[in-house]
Amino acid sequence: MLVLNGPNLGRLGVREPDVYGALSLADLREQVAGWSDELGVGAEVRQTDDEAELVHWLYEAVDSGAHVVLNPAAFTHYSYSLRDAAAMVTKAGLVLVEVHISNPMAREEFRHTSVIGPVATGTVAGFGFDSYRLALLAVVAKA
Ligand code: DQA
Protein backbone atom coordinates (compact mmCIF):
# COMPACT_ATOMS: atom_id res chain seq x y z
CA MET A 1 0.00 0.00 0.00
CA LEU A 2 0.98 3.61 -0.44
CA VAL A 3 0.97 5.97 2.55
CA LEU A 4 0.81 9.41 0.96
CA ASN A 5 1.27 12.72 2.73
CA GLY A 6 0.54 16.20 1.44
CA PRO A 7 1.95 19.67 1.96
CA ASN A 8 3.84 20.77 5.07
CA LEU A 9 3.91 17.26 6.54
CA GLY A 10 7.62 17.20 5.73
CA ARG A 11 7.91 19.68 8.60
CA LEU A 12 6.43 17.40 11.24
CA GLY A 13 8.19 17.88 14.56
CA VAL A 14 8.99 21.51 13.76
CA ARG A 15 5.61 22.78 12.59
CA GLU A 16 3.07 23.50 15.35
CA PRO A 17 4.24 20.70 17.68
CA ASP A 18 1.34 21.55 19.99
CA VAL A 19 -1.01 20.36 17.22
CA TYR A 20 1.02 17.72 15.36
CA GLY A 21 3.42 16.48 18.06
CA ALA A 22 7.19 16.50 18.38
CA LEU A 23 7.96 13.58 16.09
CA SER A 24 9.27 14.00 12.54
CA LEU A 25 8.31 12.51 9.18
CA ALA A 26 11.32 10.18 9.58
CA ASP A 27 9.80 8.99 12.88
CA LEU A 28 6.46 8.44 11.12
CA ARG A 29 8.22 6.38 8.44
CA GLU A 30 9.81 4.25 11.16
CA GLN A 31 6.52 3.73 12.99
CA VAL A 32 4.64 2.86 9.81
CA ALA A 33 7.39 0.36 8.90
CA GLY A 34 6.97 -1.31 12.32
CA TRP A 35 3.17 -1.45 12.10
CA SER A 36 3.16 -2.74 8.52
CA ASP A 37 5.69 -5.44 9.47
CA GLU A 38 3.45 -6.50 12.35
CA LEU A 39 0.48 -6.68 9.98
CA GLY A 40 2.51 -8.47 7.33
CA VAL A 41 1.81 -5.89 4.63
CA GLY A 42 4.04 -3.60 2.60
CA ALA A 43 3.67 0.14 3.11
CA GLU A 44 5.63 2.81 1.32
CA VAL A 45 5.54 6.27 2.92
CA ARG A 46 5.86 9.32 0.66
CA GLN A 47 5.44 13.05 1.18
CA THR A 48 5.13 15.94 -1.25
CA ASP A 49 4.15 19.58 -1.19
CA ASP A 50 3.10 19.30 -4.83
CA GLU A 51 -0.57 18.69 -5.71
CA ALA A 52 0.26 17.27 -9.17
CA GLU A 53 2.70 14.77 -7.69
CA LEU A 54 0.06 13.57 -5.22
CA VAL A 55 -2.47 13.21 -8.07
CA HIS A 56 0.08 11.19 -10.07
CA TRP A 57 0.77 8.92 -7.08
CA LEU A 58 -2.98 8.18 -6.94
CA TYR A 59 -2.89 7.19 -10.64
CA GLU A 60 0.05 4.94 -9.76
CA ALA A 61 -2.04 3.32 -7.01
CA VAL A 62 -4.84 2.64 -9.51
CA ASP A 63 -2.45 1.27 -12.13
CA SER A 64 -0.58 -0.96 -9.69
CA GLY A 65 -3.61 -1.98 -7.60
CA ALA A 66 -2.23 -0.50 -4.38
CA HIS A 67 -4.48 0.48 -1.47
CA VAL A 68 -3.91 4.01 -0.17
CA VAL A 69 -3.62 5.75 3.18
CA LEU A 70 -3.79 9.46 2.38
CA ASN A 71 -3.14 12.47 4.57
CA PRO A 72 -4.06 15.19 2.08
CA ALA A 73 -3.10 17.91 4.62
CA ALA A 74 -4.49 21.30 3.55
CA PHE A 75 -5.54 19.87 0.15
CA THR A 76 -8.23 18.06 2.14
CA HIS A 77 -10.23 21.22 2.32
CA TYR A 78 -10.21 22.46 -1.27
CA SER A 79 -8.48 20.26 -3.86
CA TYR A 80 -11.04 18.98 -6.35
CA SER A 81 -8.26 17.56 -8.52
CA LEU A 82 -7.09 15.43 -5.60
CA ARG A 83 -10.70 14.43 -4.88
CA ASP A 84 -11.23 13.33 -8.48
CA ALA A 85 -8.01 11.28 -8.38
CA ALA A 86 -8.99 9.77 -5.00
CA ALA A 87 -12.37 8.81 -6.50
CA MET A 88 -10.52 6.87 -9.22
CA VAL A 89 -8.85 4.80 -6.47
CA THR A 90 -12.07 3.81 -4.72
CA LYS A 91 -13.96 3.35 -8.02
CA ALA A 92 -11.20 0.90 -8.98
CA GLY A 93 -12.24 -1.18 -5.95
CA LEU A 94 -9.20 -0.21 -3.88
CA VAL A 95 -9.35 1.03 -0.31
CA LEU A 96 -8.48 4.67 0.36
CA VAL A 97 -8.37 5.79 3.99
CA GLU A 98 -8.17 9.53 4.64
CA VAL A 99 -6.08 10.21 7.74
CA HIS A 100 -5.38 13.24 9.87
CA ILE A 101 -3.03 13.58 12.81
CA SER A 102 -5.19 16.28 14.40
CA ASN A 103 -8.98 16.33 14.49
CA PRO A 104 -9.92 18.90 11.85
CA MET A 105 -13.51 18.98 13.13
CA ALA A 106 -12.26 20.38 16.45
CA ARG A 107 -10.25 23.14 14.74
CA GLU A 108 -10.91 26.21 12.57
CA GLU A 109 -14.09 26.22 10.49
CA PHE A 110 -12.31 25.96 7.13
CA ARG A 111 -10.96 22.57 8.27
CA HIS A 112 -14.47 21.21 8.89
CA THR A 113 -14.94 20.55 5.17
CA SER A 114 -13.21 17.62 3.52
CA VAL A 115 -13.65 17.33 -0.23
CA ILE A 116 -11.83 13.97 -0.04
CA GLY A 117 -14.02 12.33 2.63
CA PRO A 118 -17.04 11.71 0.37
CA VAL A 119 -14.95 9.66 -2.09
CA ALA A 120 -12.76 7.90 0.53
CA THR A 121 -13.55 4.46 1.90
CA GLY A 122 -13.38 6.04 5.37
CA THR A 123 -11.58 8.55 7.54
CA VAL A 124 -9.45 8.33 10.70
CA ALA A 125 -8.64 11.61 12.44
CA GLY A 126 -7.47 12.95 15.76
CA PHE A 127 -5.25 10.20 17.12
CA GLY A 128 -1.80 11.61 16.38
CA PHE A 129 0.46 9.18 14.51
CA ASP A 130 -1.85 6.41 15.73
CA SER A 131 -4.30 7.64 13.05
CA TYR A 132 -1.94 5.96 10.55
CA ARG A 133 -1.80 2.74 12.59
CA LEU A 134 -5.61 2.63 12.68
CA ALA A 135 -5.73 3.39 8.95
CA LEU A 136 -3.36 0.47 8.20
CA LEU A 137 -5.63 -1.76 10.26
CA ALA A 138 -8.65 -0.45 8.34
CA VAL A 139 -6.99 -1.24 5.01
CA VAL A 140 -6.18 -4.78 6.18
CA ALA A 141 -9.73 -5.25 7.53
CA LYS A 142 -11.38 -3.90 4.38
CA ALA A 143 -9.10 -5.14 1.59
C1 DQA B 1 -3.88 17.64 8.77
C2 DQA B 1 -5.05 18.58 9.06
C3 DQA B 1 -5.16 19.64 7.99
O1 DQA B 1 -6.23 20.55 8.28
C4 DQA B 1 -3.89 20.46 7.90
O2 DQA B 1 -3.96 21.38 6.82
C5 DQA B 1 -2.66 19.62 7.81
C6 DQA B 1 -2.58 18.38 8.58
C7 DQA B 1 -3.66 16.63 9.93
O3 DQA B 1 -2.98 15.63 9.69
O4 DQA B 1 -4.13 16.85 11.04
O5 DQA B 1 -1.68 19.99 7.16
O6 DQA B 1 -4.19 16.90 7.60
Side-chain angles (χ1 to χ4, degrees):
M1 84 182 77
L2 294 176
V3 180
L4 306 179
N5 294 280
N8 302 310
L9 293 171
R11 302 291 288 168
L12 283 172
V14 179
R15 169 197 183 206
E16 300 184 71
D18 49 318
V19 177
Y20 300 111
L23 298 179
S24 67
L25 181 66
D27 295 322
L28 177 65
R29 285 183 197 285
E30 221 172 272
Q31 295 198 1
V32 168
W35 295 323
S36 57
D37 278 356
E38 272 169 33
L39 290 168
V41 294
E44 185 180 333
V45 179
R46 301 183 191 170
Q47 189 274 328
T48 182
D49 297 329
D50 181 339
E51 188 175 17
E53 191 165 28
L54 215 41
V55 165
H56 293 156
W57 287 344
L58 293 177
Y59 297 166
E60 183 188 327
V62 171
D63 293 342
S64 65
H67 301 294
V68 176
V69 171
L70 172 65
N71 186 340
F75 292 147
T76 306
H77 312 302
Y78 66 90
S79 173
Y80 295 118
S81 58
L82 195 62
R83 174 200 167 108
D84 285 348
M88 290 182 217
V89 175
T90 47
K91 294 253 186 223
L94 297 162
V95 177
L96 183 144
V97 182
E98 175 186 348
V99 300
H100 299 284
I101 297 165
S102 67
N103 177 2
M105 294 305 288
R107 300 180 62 196
E108 304 96 314
E109 189 128 8
F110 76 90
R111 297 185 202 276
H112 296 183
T113 298
S114 170
V115 300
I116 308 296
V119 298
T121 310
T123 301
V124 181
F127 299 98
F129 281 7
D130 271 344
S131 291
Y132 291 82
R133 186 170 63 81
L134 297 167
L136 293 184
L137 278 170
V139 169
V140 169
K142 212 38 191 150

